[in-house]
Amino acid sequence: MNNYPTKVYLNGTIIDAESAKISVFDRGFLFGDGIYEVMVQINGHFFYEQAHLDRLAYCLKEIDIVFDLSTIQQEIKRLLEVAKLLSEDCLLYMQVTRGTAPRTHSYPTNTPPTFMMYAVPKVLPEINMINAAVVTSPDYRWTKCDIKMTSLLGNVMANEFAMNQQCFETVFERDGIVTEASHCNVFFVKDQVVYTHPANQFILNGITRQIVLELCIKLNIEAVEKGIQFSEITEMDEAFLTGTSTQIASIQQIDKHFYYQGNAIGSITRKLQQAYLELK
């Protein structure tokens, strides 16, 4: 989402992006006190839309924001119509904060949430053919990473760490175990078995992560939800990243270790990429 939208939906009103304003006392601005979600529309339909909306509802419940999602799909359609993206490939960003109130750490009462969303044109490749170089870092974030929160400073700092080294991602390690990456989930393959960290408080349970695990069952690929020891990274045969816009992206290099040379991609990674393409 490296471009501005033309239209923004803000608390029920669709306005030009440059006119979209919130109060400086919005708790999303003051505390990062909010939840967000991102979906991709392909060929006129949102990919795994209900799974994304279910996760949005879960995260809102986890931080006690009461917000009615019953009409969200028709409001999304209204936004896309006004933005002239109803039948176009695009990314949709949605954000709900606790709303505007005098600054205090405790939750305000009787404060309506702030709901904002926008869409930007985005055509994803059929298969993400990058062979990513990634770096590693201690996972210094908090221990509720399963909540898709707007306060992403730890992730932002980690991603900038990768960018400064001309790398695609930073992969986190916590207590000797690989957890996830700054904006992706991470998988490893050893002896044709797929490994990824279990969906607990230390990772975001990505929708694409869930799809990959479903595809493993469909393809008779053994998948184990188990965190890989950081010391075992170099012993793996393959590694890949997953995410809504990343889809399934091969990892060629992690720190100074190379899994592949040239344009090679592991056989399990390729098989999952092809199966993912068929889903779309």
Side-chain angles (χ1 to χ4, degrees), residues 29-235:
F29 175 70
L30 292 175
F31 296 109
D33 185 2
I35 296 301
Y36 78 100
E37 189 58 67
V38 180
M39 302 192 298
V40 60
Q41 179 167 265
I42 303 171
N43 297 324
H45 301 282
F46 282 105
F47 191 57
Y48 278 71
E49 178 181 21
Q50 194 58 53
H52 283 279
L53 296 179
D54 288 347
R55 184 171 62 183
L56 177 61
Y58 164 79
C59 291
L60 289 169
K61 183 178 180 182
E62 284 296 294
I63 67 168
D64 298 320
I65 291 181
V66 178
F67 183 71
D68 183 9
L69 294 174
S70 62
T71 63
I72 192 169
Q73 287 169 304
Q74 66 190 52
E75 293 300 276
I76 290 170
K77 181 179 179 181
R78 187 160 71 91
L79 169 64
L80 295 185
E81 286 176 338
V82 174
K84 296 181 171 55
L85 292 170
L86 190 59
S87 60
E88 303 296 322
D89 285 7
C90 61
L91 283 177
L92 176 76
Y93 178 88
M94 298 176 285
Q95 177 174 302
V96 185
T97 77
R98 204 175 301 278
T100 300
R103 189 184 187 280
T104 181
H105 281 64
S106 59
Y107 298 166
T109 57
N110 302 318
T111 299
T114 299
F115 178 43
M116 182 272 290
M117 60 180 174
Y118 65 84
V120 291
K122 180 71 173 181
V123 178
L124 296 176
E126 289 192 343
I127 294 177
N128 189 342
M129 295 304 295
I130 71 166
N131 230 340
V134 305
V135 289
T136 61
S137 167
D139 196 344
Y140 43 71
R141 303 169 302 162
W142 75 333
T143 56
K144 287 187 176 290
C145 299
D146 57 314
I147 300 173
K148 198 169 178 70
M149 57 188 174
T150 57
S151 45
L152 285 171
L153 184 57
N155 300 66
V156 168
M157 291 171 62
N159 196 251
E160 182 65 12
F161 175 65
M163 296 300 104
N164 287 339
Q165 299 177 75
Q166 290 76 54
C167 290
F168 180 76
E169 255 288 26
T170 292
V171 171
F172 288 119
E173 167 267 323
R174 187 191 295 266
D175 297 327
I177 302 294
V178 177
T179 52
E180 59 179 349
S182 73
H183 67 290
C184 297
N185 291 115
V186 60
F187 288 74
F188 295 92
V189 181
K190 179 66 176 179
D191 297 330
Q192 305 292 297
V193 179
V194 172
Y195 295 91
T196 194
H197 196 285
N200 59 18
Q201 72 272 26
F202 297 125
I203 73 162
L204 180 71
N205 187 13
I207 304 304
T208 310
R209 174 191 180 276
Q210 298 172 42
I211 294 170
V212 165
L213 291 174
E214 292 171 2
L215 289 175
C216 284
I217 294 172
K218 179 181 178 180
L219 297 171
N220 294 314
I221 298 171
E222 184 179 354
V224 179
E225 292 187 72
K226 171 188 174 184
I228 292 296
Q229 292 282 338
F230 186 74
S231 60
E232 296 176 337
I233 283 177
T234 58
E235 299 173 14

